[in-house]
Amino acid sequence: MLSIIIYDIPSDKLRSKIADVCQDYGLDRIQFSAFLGEINHNRREELLQKIKREIGKKPANVQLFPICDKDVRLRQMVVVNESNERTDKPDSQ
Amino acid sequence: MLSIIIYDIPSDKLRSKIADVCQDYGLDRIQFSAFLGEINHNRREELLQKIKREIGKKPANVQLFPICDKDVRLRQMVVVNESNERTDKPDSQ
């Protein structure tokens, strides 16, 4: 099932470590502090345990939401890149 | 329907403006650059139009995902606050 992981982590080092862990689990970076990807229940639990171990007692806020196929089809984006080119994804409904 | 909005916005001023807009639409801030809340289809479209107008040609990446009740029940969190107190939300499955 698709899941989205978003995080607020003050430490650059820890934030970068959490990004590495998400990438190791095959998730795609969709924003600086957000990953999205297909991950089954067992791997999701394993990923969360790994994230908890990395965080330890360091300040962090990590949230994971599974997203069903129906919801992901309703995803909407507004994207303007640094060259001021707009690349909105139109409503995919 | 619940929706989550996440954003990567380099400009402090624009980022703060987008946060205000999300708050105006009754969404709750769940992270520095993430809001979650109940919003119906029409209000969601209106919110997106407002966000697009605010962004104009300024660099920004805003993503909105509707999240159905089933998915939101599977939300998982790892939270350690600045006083190093862990307040994980247990699996709500």
Side-chain angles (χ1 to χ4, degrees), chain B residues 39-60:
Chain B
I39 187 165
N40 68 28
H41 177 79
N42 289 348
R43 295 260 299 163
R44 196 164 71 221
E45 294 306 309
E46 201 183 291
L47 169 61
L48 276 166
Q49 290 312 315
K50 207 162 260 190
I51 287 173
K52 280 182 194 178
R53 272 200 304 275
E54 291 292 344
I55 289 174
K57 295 206 155 200
K58 298 182 270 298

Side-chain angles (χ1 to χ4, degrees), chain A residues 4-91:
Chain A
I4 183 168
I5 292 191
I6 57 175
Y7 48 87
D8 253 358
I9 298 176
S11 153
D12 291 348
K13 194 178 160 193
L14 178 61
R15 198 169 54 242
S16 152
K17 184 70 208 175
I18 297 302
D20 288 346
V21 173
C22 290
Q23 256 153 355
D24 289 347
Y25 276 75
L27 303 180
D28 298 314
R29 190 166 223 158
I30 56 166
Q31 284 186 353
F32 188 64
S33 295
F35 281 81
L36 175 72
E38 195 66 39
I39 187 163
N40 68 29
H41 178 78
N42 290 347
R43 296 260 299 163
R44 196 165 69 219
E45 293 307 309
E46 201 184 292
L47 169 61
L48 276 166
Q49 289 312 314
K50 207 162 260 189
I51 287 173
K52 281 182 193 176
R53 273 201 302 276
E54 292 293 344
I55 288 174
K57 295 205 154 199
K58 297 180 272 297
N61 180 314
V62 178
Q63 302 195 28
L64 182 152
F65 296 83
I67 308 227
C68 64
D69 289 347
K70 185 167 168 288
D71 288 352
V72 87
R73 282 196 297 272
L74 298 174
R75 175 187 188 184
Q76 290 184 299
M77 296 170 70
V78 184
V79 179
V80 181
N81 63 28
E82 293 293 337
S83 61
N84 305 115
E85 191 186 338
R86 185 183 277 274
T87 55
D88 295 1
K89 188 183 168 211
D91 296 15

Side-chain angles (χ1 to χ4, degrees), chain B:
Chain B
M1 187 174 192
L2 270 177
S3 291
I4 184 169
I5 291 192
I6 57 176
Y7 48 87
D8 253 359
I9 297 176
S11 154
D12 291 347
K13 193 178 161 193
L14 178 60
R15 199 169 54 243
S16 152
K17 184 70 209 175
I18 298 301
D20 288 346
V21 174
C22 290
Q23 255 151 357
D24 288 347
Y25 277 76
L27 304 181
D28 298 314
R29 190 166 223 158
I30 57 166
Q31 284 186 353
F32 187 65
S33 295
F35 281 81
L36 175 73
E38 195 66 38
I39 187 165
N40 68 28
H41 177 79
N42 289 348
R43 295 260 299 163
R44 196 164 71 221
E45 294 306 309
E46 201 183 291
L47 169 61
L48 276 166
Q49 290 312 315
K50 207 162 260 190
I51 287 173
K52 280 182 194 178
R53 272 200 304 275
E54 291 292 344
I55 289 174
K57 295 206 155 200
K58 298 182 270 298
N61 179 314
V62 178
Q63 303 195 27
L64 182 151
F65 296 83
I67 309 229
C68 63
D69 290 346
K70 186 167 169 286
D71 288 351
V72 87
R73 282 196 297 273
L74 298 173
R75 175 187 188 184
Q76 289 183 300
M77 295 171 70
V78 184
V79 179
V80 180
N81 62 28
E82 292 292 338
S83 61
N84 305 116
E85 191 187 337
R86 184 185 279 272
T87 55
D88 295 4
K89 189 184 166 208
D91 297 15
S92 45
Q93 297 173 43

